[in-house]
Amino acid sequence: MPDQRFAYVPVHDLRSGRCTGVEVVPRLHHDAVAVAARDRGWDARRIAELDAGTAVSAVASARSWAAAVPVQVDVAADTVLHARGRLRAMLGGTSDPVAPLLEVGPPIAAAAPAEHLVPALAELRRWGFRIGLDGAGRAFGPELVAAVRPDVVKLEPDLCDGVLDTGAGAAVRAVVEVSRAVGAPVAATGVRDAARLTGLFAIGIAFAQGPLLGGTRAAPEADPATRAELLGLLSAAPQPFTTGSAPPAPERPAAPRPAGPPVRGLAVPAVTLPDDAVGDTAREALRARPDSAGIVLVDRAHRPVGYLDRSRVLLQLAGRFGHALWAEKPAAELADPPRTVDERTPLHRAMEIGLSGDPARGYDDLVVVAPDGTCRGVVPVAELWRRAILPPAASGPGPVPVPQAARTA
C-alpha cells in the first residue's frame, strides 16, 4: 500500500491526452513543511533538512506503488541551497527511465538569491535530476527562468483561473513567451473547468493538472477514461500556437489591443560613462552604484554605443590577472551592443524586444533613447515583467518623469 501521508496528482500532456506522471503531495495540511516550520519555529537549515526528507519519502512512496511512473515532487528553494545533498537519495539504485522532477518553489524560511540558486540547480542537474520552476510569474521572474532554463515551468492556480480575464490572461501569455524563448514547456495547475482548460491549451500550455483532470488520488495509477475525456474536451479548441506564429484569437470577442503607455514611464536614470573610459573606471562606477545592473557607454552626443553588464564585467575583472589585463584597457572592449528602445514604444512591444535576441542577455536593461538617439535612461526587464504580471491598479503609480539628461556616474 502507498504511504498514507501522500496523495498523487496526475499530470496530463494536453497534446496527446496521456498521463505523463504524478506529482506527490502531502495528504494532510499539517504535514506540509511550511506549516510544520511555522508551528515549530525552526531555523532555515533545519527546515531545509525536513523538506528534503519529506521529498525523499514522497518519491519512495510513489515508487513502491508504481515504479515506472515519472514522479514530480516539490522542494523549496532554500532546500536546494542548504540540503540538496540529501536529495541524492532519490537517485540511488533506481532504474527509472525518467529521473524525478524537482519542482522548485519559493523559499520557506530564508532568502534564495539567484546568484546562489542557479549554480545549485545546475549541480542537481548534473546529478541527473530534472528541474521545474513552480510559481513563475509570482515567485520567480524572467531572469531566473532564462538563467535556469528549466525542464518545465509551472503556473500557480490563481493565474490559471484567470486565463480568460484580461489582466491574468496577459500574465499567463507573458510567462508562456518567456518560457518558449528558453525552450521550457509550461504546465497549468489547479485546473477546475473545461473553459479554462481549452483557453490554456489555446495559448500554448503543454501540461495540466487539477480537479478537472482527476484531482488527487490514493495511488499513482492512470485512469484510462481521462485520456478520452481530455481529448474530447480539446478536440474543438483552437490549436496552440508554435514558435514563430502568432497566438490565436481568444474564444470570446475581444476589444482591439491598446497601444498602452510608452516605455519612457518606466525609465530610470542610467549610469553612463564616456565610450573611451577604461576598465578600472567602469569597475569603480559599478562599486559606487551597487543597485545598477550595468553601465551605458555613450559617445560625445550622449548616444548609447555599448552596454557593460555588471555580472559579465566583474567576472572578467575578478578572474586571474583580470584587473591587470583590463584596468587600463578601453571598457568598450568588454561591452555588448546596447539593446535600445525608443521612448515612445508601447510597453507590450518593449517586453517583446526584451524577450528577443540572445537568451543570455534576456535580463540586460533596455536602454531608452529619445527620437534624436540620445540616452534617456534604462528600463530593467524585471520591471517590464512586473507590469505584465500585476493588474494596472497594483502596478504602482503612473509614469515617472524622466530627466532630460541621464545621470552620469
XYZ file of all heavy atoms in Angstrom, residues 255-327:
544
model
N -11.726 43.236 -27.400
C -11.524 44.573 -27.957
C -10.139 44.650 -28.583
O -9.237 43.888 -28.228
C -11.648 45.612 -26.844
N -9.918 45.538 -29.546
C -8.576 45.695 -30.137
C -7.552 45.998 -29.051
O -7.833 46.721 -28.093
C -8.755 46.892 -31.082
C -10.212 46.935 -31.375
C -10.898 46.455 -30.139
N -6.385 45.426 -29.205
C -5.341 45.588 -28.198
C -4.862 47.035 -28.165
O -4.435 47.577 -29.176
C -4.160 44.681 -28.540
C -3.086 44.657 -27.466
C -2.006 43.686 -27.864
N -1.069 43.472 -26.769
C -0.011 42.686 -26.864
N 0.227 42.036 -27.969
N 0.801 42.536 -25.836
N -4.943 47.684 -26.995
C -4.498 49.071 -26.928
C -2.992 49.167 -27.062
O -2.250 48.242 -26.746
C -4.952 49.517 -25.526
C -4.990 48.255 -24.734
C -5.398 47.169 -25.691
N -2.558 50.307 -27.554
C -1.110 50.508 -27.702
C -0.411 50.520 -26.358
O 0.719 50.098 -26.231
C -0.839 51.816 -28.444
N -1.104 50.994 -25.312
C -0.506 51.030 -23.989
C 0.372 52.251 -23.796
O 0.732 52.932 -24.751
N 0.730 52.518 -22.556
C 1.573 53.679 -22.271
C 2.969 53.485 -22.827
O 3.437 52.357 -22.988
C 1.579 53.732 -20.743
C 1.320 52.325 -20.317
C 0.398 51.756 -21.341
N 3.679 54.569 -23.119
C 5.039 54.434 -23.655
C 6.015 53.982 -22.580
O 5.816 54.198 -21.380
C 5.358 55.844 -24.139
C 4.487 56.736 -23.314
C 3.233 55.962 -23.062
N 7.103 53.382 -23.031
C 8.075 52.798 -22.117
C 8.814 53.864 -21.314
O 9.386 53.557 -20.264
C 9.065 51.914 -22.922
C 10.010 52.768 -23.740
C 9.844 50.992 -22.000
N 8.810 55.115 -21.763
C 9.532 56.143 -21.008
C 9.002 56.295 -19.589
O 9.711 56.781 -18.713
C 9.470 57.481 -21.734
C 8.085 58.078 -21.905
C 8.155 59.515 -22.425
N 6.834 59.977 -22.834
C 6.410 60.021 -24.088
N 7.210 59.633 -25.066
N 5.200 60.445 -24.388
N 7.747 55.866 -19.343
C 7.199 55.959 -17.999
C 7.874 55.041 -16.999
O 7.724 55.222 -15.789
N 8.616 54.032 -17.477
C 9.324 53.110 -16.582
C 10.819 53.394 -16.509
O 11.533 52.742 -15.759
C 9.120 51.661 -17.053
C 7.694 51.112 -17.034
C 7.704 49.654 -17.451
C 7.068 51.261 -15.658
N 11.293 54.328 -17.312
C 12.737 54.573 -17.373
C 13.259 55.176 -16.073
O 12.591 55.985 -15.432
C 13.057 55.508 -18.540
N 14.448 54.739 -15.701
C 15.159 55.303 -14.550
C 16.502 55.828 -15.063
O 16.987 55.394 -16.118
C 15.373 54.251 -13.441
C 14.050 53.776 -12.890
C 16.174 53.064 -13.964
N 17.117 56.766 -14.345
C 18.395 57.300 -14.814
C 19.436 56.202 -15.021
O 19.554 55.286 -14.212
C 18.807 58.257 -13.701
C 17.519 58.665 -13.065
C 16.638 57.465 -13.122
N 20.161 56.301 -16.095
C 21.197 55.316 -16.403
C 22.525 55.731 -15.777
O 22.817 56.918 -15.631
C 21.367 55.190 -17.915
N 23.319 54.750 -15.413
C 24.716 55.004 -15.072
C 25.466 55.022 -16.395
O 25.478 54.029 -17.134
C 25.275 53.914 -14.152
C 26.758 54.160 -13.886
C 24.505 53.881 -12.834
N 26.057 56.146 -16.748
C 26.730 56.276 -18.032
C 28.200 56.618 -17.848
O 28.603 57.201 -16.839
C 26.063 57.370 -18.893
O 26.207 58.631 -18.234
C 24.585 57.084 -19.111
N 28.985 56.236 -18.840
C 30.397 56.599 -18.907
C 30.724 56.946 -20.359
O 30.089 56.426 -21.281
C 31.286 55.434 -18.461
C 31.372 55.135 -16.962
C 32.207 53.885 -16.740
C 31.966 56.315 -16.200
N 31.720 57.792 -20.565
C 32.161 58.064 -21.947
C 32.651 56.788 -22.611
O 33.159 55.869 -21.936
C 33.291 59.074 -21.759
C 33.132 59.614 -20.377
C 32.484 58.553 -19.561
N 32.525 56.719 -23.917
C 32.893 55.492 -24.614
C 34.394 55.229 -24.621
O 34.829 54.144 -25.012
C 32.356 55.502 -26.048
C 32.810 56.723 -26.840
O 33.576 57.533 -26.284
O 32.394 56.862 -28.002
N 35.210 56.209 -24.161
C 36.651 55.967 -24.075
C 37.109 55.658 -22.649
O 38.310 55.635 -22.367
C 37.426 57.165 -24.621
C 37.096 58.469 -23.887
O 36.213 58.456 -23.000
O 37.717 59.504 -24.215
N 36.151 55.422 -21.722
C 36.520 55.090 -20.339
C 37.266 53.761 -20.303
O 37.057 52.879 -21.141
C 35.265 55.013 -19.473
N 38.128 53.597 -19.297
C 38.910 52.371 -19.162
C 38.240 51.435 -18.166
O 37.315 51.809 -17.441
C 40.355 52.676 -18.718
C 41.070 53.497 -19.779
C 40.375 53.379 -17.368
N 38.735 50.201 -18.119
C 38.124 49.174 -17.288
C 38.070 49.530 -15.818
O 37.089 49.248 -15.129
N 39.135 50.151 -15.292
C 39.156 50.489 -13.880
C 38.094 51.534 -13.546
O 37.485 51.489 -12.470
C 40.547 50.997 -13.485
C 40.859 50.724 -12.022
O 40.418 49.668 -11.523
O 41.513 51.563 -11.390
N 37.838 52.455 -14.459
C 36.788 53.451 -14.243
C 35.431 52.774 -14.185
O 34.575 53.120 -13.352
C 36.811 54.497 -15.370
O 38.110 55.090 -15.429
C 35.767 55.569 -15.139
N 35.205 51.812 -15.057
C 33.938 51.079 -15.042
C 33.768 50.313 -13.741
O 32.678 50.285 -13.154
C 33.875 50.132 -16.237
N 34.854 49.695 -13.271
C 34.770 48.945 -12.019
C 34.405 49.859 -10.858
O 33.555 49.518 -10.022
C 36.103 48.249 -11.750
C 36.113 47.375 -10.498
C 37.426 46.638 -10.399
N 38.538 47.547 -10.142
C 38.979 47.880 -8.938
N 38.398 47.397 -7.858
N 40.008 48.703 -8.800
N 35.005 51.034 -10.792
C 34.703 51.963 -9.714
C 33.263 52.479 -9.821
O 32.599 52.689 -8.807
C 35.698 53.133 -9.749
C 37.111 52.749 -9.352
C 37.166 52.162 -7.943
O 36.440 52.660 -7.053
O 37.902 51.183 -7.741
N 32.779 52.677 -11.040
C 31.408 53.140 -11.209
C 30.413 52.090 -10.726
O 29.405 52.411 -10.084
C 31.137 53.473 -12.676
N 30.684 50.823 -11.009
C 29.804 49.749 -10.539
C 29.870 49.619 -9.022
O 28.863 49.339 -8.369
C 30.190 48.431 -11.203
C 29.884 48.332 -12.706
C 30.522 47.074 -13.294
C 28.386 48.333 -12.956
N 31.056 49.818 -8.454
C 31.186 49.756 -6.996
C 30.417 50.898 -6.338
O 29.788 50.709 -5.293
C 32.661 49.826 -6.612
C 32.898 49.817 -5.109
C 34.374 49.921 -4.782
N 35.104 48.733 -5.237
C 36.424 48.602 -5.113
N 37.139 49.574 -4.581
N 37.024 47.505 -5.533
N 30.430 52.068 -6.956
C 29.728 53.219 -6.384
C 28.219 53.098 -6.514
O 27.481 53.729 -5.763
C 30.212 54.507 -7.059
N 27.745 52.302 -7.494
C 26.298 52.148 -7.714
C 25.919 50.676 -7.653
O 25.656 50.031 -8.660
C 25.924 52.740 -9.073
C 26.013 54.257 -9.148
C 24.908 54.928 -8.318
N 23.599 54.523 -8.794
C 22.961 55.102 -9.806
N 23.512 56.136 -10.434
N 21.772 54.680 -10.174
N 25.888 50.091 -6.446
C 25.603 48.646 -6.334
C 24.195 48.264 -6.769
O 23.921 47.089 -6.994
C 25.817 48.369 -4.834
C 25.618 49.699 -4.171
C 26.133 50.714 -5.140
N 23.301 49.261 -6.881
C 21.936 48.974 -7.310
C 21.797 48.910 -8.820
O 20.734 48.552 -9.344
C 20.985 50.042 -6.768
C 21.363 51.454 -7.219
O 22.578 51.708 -7.362
O 20.470 52.277 -7.422
N 22.831 49.258 -9.543
C 22.758 49.318 -11.003
C 23.119 47.973 -11.618
O 24.072 47.314 -11.204
C 23.705 50.400 -11.531
O 23.780 50.353 -12.941
N 22.347 47.559 -12.646
C 22.615 46.289 -13.327
C 23.735 46.418 -14.344
O 24.283 45.418 -14.787
C 21.358 45.775 -14.015
N 24.076 47.655 -14.735
C 25.115 47.823 -15.737
C 25.374 49.286 -16.046
O 24.795 50.189 -15.429
N 26.247 49.512 -17.012
C 26.665 50.858 -17.407
C 26.415 51.027 -18.897
O 26.694 50.126 -19.696
C 28.164 51.072 -17.109
C 28.433 50.992 -15.604
C 28.654 52.404 -17.668
C 29.917 50.995 -15.258
N 25.902 52.197 -19.264
C 25.723 52.542 -20.667
C 26.912 53.404 -21.099
O 27.185 54.442 -20.479
C 24.407 53.301 -20.892
C 24.235 53.641 -22.381
C 23.212 52.486 -20.395
N 27.611 52.969 -22.124
C 28.686 53.776 -22.696
C 28.087 54.698 -23.752
O 27.327 54.242 -24.621
C 29.752 52.887 -23.326
C 30.507 51.934 -22.382
C 31.504 51.097 -23.165
C 31.202 52.701 -21.260
N 28.394 55.982 -23.671
C 27.814 56.960 -24.595
C 28.918 57.721 -25.320
O 30.027 57.895 -24.803
C 26.897 57.954 -23.845
C 25.690 57.245 -23.249
C 27.665 58.684 -22.740
N 28.572 58.181 -26.527
C 29.534 58.988 -27.276
C 29.394 60.455 -26.876
O 28.664 60.798 -25.930
C 29.345 58.782 -28.774
C 27.969 59.217 -29.268
O 27.254 59.947 -28.527
O 27.584 58.839 -30.389
N 30.065 61.349 -27.586
C 30.049 62.756 -27.197
C 28.669 63.393 -27.338
O 28.377 64.381 -26.678
C 31.060 63.524 -28.039
C 32.505 63.148 -27.727
C 33.486 64.026 -28.476
N 34.865 63.682 -28.149
C 35.911 64.323 -28.630
N 35.729 65.344 -29.487
N 37.132 63.962 -28.293
N 27.832 62.821 -28.185
C 26.464 63.331 -28.337
C 25.499 62.655 -27.365
O 24.292 62.847 -27.451
C 25.982 63.128 -29.770
N 25.996 61.886 -26.428
C 25.231 61.171 -25.407
C 24.340 60.080 -26.016
O 23.277 59.754 -25.505
C 24.386 62.133 -24.567
C 24.122 61.604 -23.180
N 25.101 61.513 -22.220
C 22.992 61.146 -22.588
C 24.598 61.030 -21.106
N 23.310 60.787 -21.301
N 24.803 59.502 -27.127
C 24.097 58.387 -27.737
C 24.723 57.085 -27.256
O 25.959 56.969 -27.199
C 24.168 58.473 -29.264
C 23.412 59.654 -29.843
C 23.592 59.710 -31.342
N 25.015 59.828 -31.683
C 25.489 60.687 -32.572
N 24.677 61.512 -33.217
N 26.781 60.722 -32.838
N 23.913 56.090 -26.898
C 24.470 54.824 -26.387
C 25.203 54.060 -27.477
O 24.685 53.892 -28.592
C 23.223 54.053 -25.911
C 22.080 54.649 -26.668
C 22.431 56.087 -26.907
N 26.413 53.606 -27.150
C 27.214 52.843 -28.103
C 27.654 51.490 -27.529
O 28.219 50.668 -28.257
C 28.455 53.638 -28.544
C 28.040 54.877 -29.311
C 29.333 54.012 -27.352
N 27.426 51.259 -26.253
C 27.802 49.989 -25.637
C 27.116 49.813 -24.303
O 26.652 50.788 -23.685
N 27.021 48.543 -23.854
C 26.409 48.254 -22.551
C 27.316 47.294 -21.802
O 27.706 46.236 -22.320
C 25.029 47.643 -22.722
C 24.339 47.362 -21.398
C 23.733 48.389 -20.674
C 24.315 46.078 -20.863
C 23.118 48.141 -19.459
C 23.698 45.822 -19.646
C 23.103 46.859 -18.951
O 22.491 46.623 -17.739
N 27.665 47.667 -20.578
C 28.502 46.844 -19.708
C 27.631 46.196 -18.646
O 27.185 46.856 -17.699
C 29.584 47.707 -19.041
C 30.625 48.344 -19.971
C 31.417 49.411 -19.214
C 31.562 47.285 -20.532
N 27.342 44.916 -18.797
C 26.559 44.202 -17.797
C 27.402 43.963 -16.550
O 28.567 43.538 -16.642
C 26.095 42.860 -18.363
C 25.419 41.996 -17.326
O 24.269 42.284 -16.971
O 26.075 41.041 -16.848
N 26.839 44.252 -15.376
C 27.583 44.152 -14.117
C 28.212 42.768 -13.943
O 29.422 42.650 -13.688
C 26.651 44.460 -12.945
C 27.276 44.154 -11.571
C 26.293 44.415 -10.448
N 26.063 45.834 -10.301
C 26.829 46.650 -9.565
N 27.888 46.173 -8.920
N 26.551 47.921 -9.471
N 27.419 41.727 -14.091
C 27.931 40.382 -13.807
C 29.043 39.997 -14.770
O 30.088 39.465 -14.357
C 26.786 39.365 -13.889
O 25.794 39.654 -12.927
N 28.836 40.259 -16.056
C 29.840 39.845 -17.031
C 31.138 40.630 -16.872
O 32.241 40.079 -16.988
C 29.277 39.990 -18.450
C 28.129 39.039 -18.747
C 27.808 38.971 -20.224
N 27.212 40.183 -20.746
C 25.914 40.447 -20.765
N 25.062 39.573 -20.231
N 25.449 41.565 -21.285
N 31.027 41.938 -16.603
C 32.225 42.762 -16.469
C 33.002 42.391 -15.211
O 34.225 42.200 -15.250
C 31.847 44.260 -16.452
C 33.043 45.104 -16.049
C 31.357 44.682 -17.820
N 32.291 42.269 -14.078
C 33.005 41.953 -12.835
C 33.621 40.561 -12.885
O 34.664 40.312 -12.275
C 32.048 42.088 -11.652
C 31.576 43.522 -11.358
C 30.685 43.543 -10.124
C 32.759 44.469 -11.172
N 32.974 39.652 -13.626
C 33.553 38.316 -13.778
C 34.871 38.387 -14.533
O 35.854 37.725 -14.167
C 32.564 37.416 -14.516
C 32.948 35.932 -14.633
C 33.027 35.299 -13.250
C 31.940 35.197 -15.492
N 34.922 39.214 -15.560
C 36.172 39.384 -16.308
C 37.255 40.025 -15.435
O 38.409 39.589 -15.436
C 35.915 40.286 -17.527
C 35.174 39.601 -18.652
C 36.099 38.787 -19.556
O 37.269 38.589 -19.246
N 35.563 38.304 -20.656
N 36.878 41.045 -14.692
C 37.864 41.770 -13.887
C 38.325 40.970 -12.674
O 39.422 41.187 -12.163
C 37.283 43.111 -13.440
C 37.011 44.126 -14.555
C 36.322 45.355 -14.003
C 38.311 44.509 -15.268
N 37.453 40.071 -12.194
C 37.807 39.313 -10.992
C 38.607 38.062 -11.305
O 39.131 37.414 -10.407
C 36.535 38.924 -10.231
N 38.679 37.675 -12.580
C 39.430 36.482 -12.939
C 40.919 36.641 -12.695
O 41.422 37.727 -12.361
N 41.642 35.558 -12.909
C 43.083 35.582 -12.686
C 43.725 36.613 -13.615
O 43.519 36.580 -14.823
C 43.671 34.204 -12.943
C 45.125 34.092 -12.509
C 45.649 32.678 -12.723
N 46.994 32.541 -12.197
C 47.738 31.450 -12.340
N 47.248 30.412 -12.990
N 48.945 31.400 -11.825
N 44.437 37.546 -13.053
C 45.083 38.649 -13.762
C 44.067 39.579 -14.437
O 44.443 40.399 -15.276
C 46.074 38.136 -14.828
C 47.062 37.147 -14.316
C 47.138 35.878 -14.873
C 47.912 37.470 -13.260
C 48.053 34.956 -14.392
C 48.836 36.553 -12.788
C 48.905 35.280 -13.349
N 42.792 39.442 -14.084
C 41.758 40.241 -14.740
C 41.971 41.729 -14.584
O 41.885 42.491 -15.557
N 42.257 42.168 -13.362
C 42.433 43.597 -13.142
C 43.667 44.111 -13.881
O 43.652 45.182 -14.506
C 42.546 43.883 -11.642
C 42.630 45.350 -11.331
N 43.843 45.981 -11.136
C 41.667 46.305 -11.210
C 43.617 47.262 -10.892
N 42.309 47.487 -10.927
N 44.738 43.336 -13.838
C 45.961 43.761 -14.520
C 45.755 43.861 -16.025
O 46.300 44.735 -16.692
C 47.087 42.785 -14.198
N 44.931 42.963 -16.576
C 44.720 42.946 -18.017
C 43.800 44.068 -18.483
O 43.989 44.635 -19.575
C 44.131 41.600 -18.446
C 45.081 40.393 -18.428
C 44.294 39.122 -18.665
C 46.159 40.560 -19.496
N 42.797 44.399 -17.668
C 41.734 45.277 -18.147
C 41.710 46.651 -17.505
O 40.972 47.528 -17.958
C 40.364 44.608 -17.920
C 40.151 43.429 -18.802
C 40.194 42.109 -18.437
C 39.868 43.444 -20.192
N 39.950 41.305 -19.511
C 39.744 42.101 -20.613
C 39.702 44.459 -21.129
C 39.454 41.756 -21.921
C 39.420 44.114 -22.437
C 39.302 42.782 -22.829
N 42.470 46.879 -16.449
C 42.367 48.139 -15.718
C 42.570 49.361 -16.611
O 41.850 50.357 -16.502
C 43.357 48.165 -14.554
